[in-house]
């Protein structure tokens, strides 16, 4: 009987640990590239059941993969790597062009429209335990966002 109770406790502990770090990924995609292009971005929506953070990522198509942020700094849009991205419990976090994203650099080849790109996300829970999340992201061409007249970014030549 003790062995059954101990086994049940181990099983419940394992299930609880998985539930703690549960992160869902929706709408994952990678921007397709042109020949000789050495970098691109991966975009998606993440939602964690518990407070967690995205701490890193890897992909077989890139030599270097980092979590990046694009933000205005003194009137200039700048991109920089961030050590982690908070995933507050129950809140959707969008990784999208012009904001947070996964940067794939030192590409090993062209990422063509229609390709499927494997990306491994590394998420760390409040307890410091890390979980790898394997995703398959569709590569697609993405049009640049439309500029609205009067938004301060439209130039007339």
């Amino acid at each position: 009987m003790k062995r059954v109770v101990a086994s049940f406790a181990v099983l419940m502990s394992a299930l609880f640990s998985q539930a703690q770090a549960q992160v869902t990924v929706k709408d994952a995609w990678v921007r397709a590239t042109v020949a000789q292009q050495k970098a691109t971005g991966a975009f998606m929506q993440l939602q964690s059941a518990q407070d967690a953070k995205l701490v890193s990522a890897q992909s077989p198509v890139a030599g270097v993969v980092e979590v990046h942020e694009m933000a205005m700094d003194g009137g200039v849009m700048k991109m920089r790597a961030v050590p982690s991205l908070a995933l507050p419990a129950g809140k959707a976090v969008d990784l999208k062009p012009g904001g947070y994203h996964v940067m794939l650099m030192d590409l090993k080849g062209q990422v063509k429209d229609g390709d499927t790109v494997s990306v491994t996300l590394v998420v760390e829970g409040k307890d410091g335990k890390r979980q790898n999340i394997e995703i398959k992201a569709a590569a697609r061409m993405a049009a640049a966002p439309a500029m609205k007249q009067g938004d301060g970014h439209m130039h007339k030549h």
Side-chain angles (χ1 to χ4, degrees):
M1 182 67 172
K2 285 183 182 178
R3 180 173 278 151
V4 171
V5 170
S7 294
F8 181 75
V10 168
L11 176 64
M12 291 308 292
S13 176
L15 290 173
F16 181 72
S17 293
Q18 286 178 347
Q20 275 187 312
Q22 184 181 4
V23 175
T24 57
V25 180
K26 288 174 44 178
D27 304 324
W29 66 282
V30 172
R31 187 184 312 266
T33 64
V34 296
Q36 308 305 318
Q37 185 175 334
K38 290 297 181 185
T40 191
F43 312 98
M44 64 206 75
Q45 184 182 80
L46 303 174
Q47 188 164 345
S48 179
Q50 302 292 325
D51 286 341
K53 58 187 175 181
L54 175 61
V55 295
S56 67
Q58 297 95 32
S59 176
V61 303
V64 177
V65 182
E66 297 176 343
V67 180
H68 276 207
E69 170 189 36
M70 288 191 74
M72 291 300 287
D73 182 12
V76 177
M77 183 65 85
K78 293 189 176 180
M79 182 171 55
R80 67 179 180 93
V82 294
S84 64
L85 174 61
L87 303 174
K91 183 179 178 194
V93 176
D94 289 323
L95 279 67
K96 60 186 178 184
Y100 289 104
H101 58 280
V102 174
M103 194 73 193
L104 306 167
M105 299 174 287
D106 191 20
L107 292 174
K108 297 175 181 175
Q110 182 178 359
V111 177
K112 296 178 182 169
D113 190 28
D115 285 354
T116 299
V117 178
S118 295
V119 178
T120 302
L121 305 175
V122 181
V123 175
E124 184 177 290
K126 288 189 302 187
D127 58 4
K129 291 183 181 176
R130 292 187 174 195
Q131 172 189 19
N132 289 346
I133 302 168
E134 306 289 333
I135 63 169
K136 303 287 186 195
R140 66 179 195 229
M141 298 301 294
M147 295 288 185
K148 293 182 287 209
Q149 192 166 4
D151 71 357
H153 295 94
M154 194 165 174
H155 300 282
K156 293 182 182 176
H157 295 275

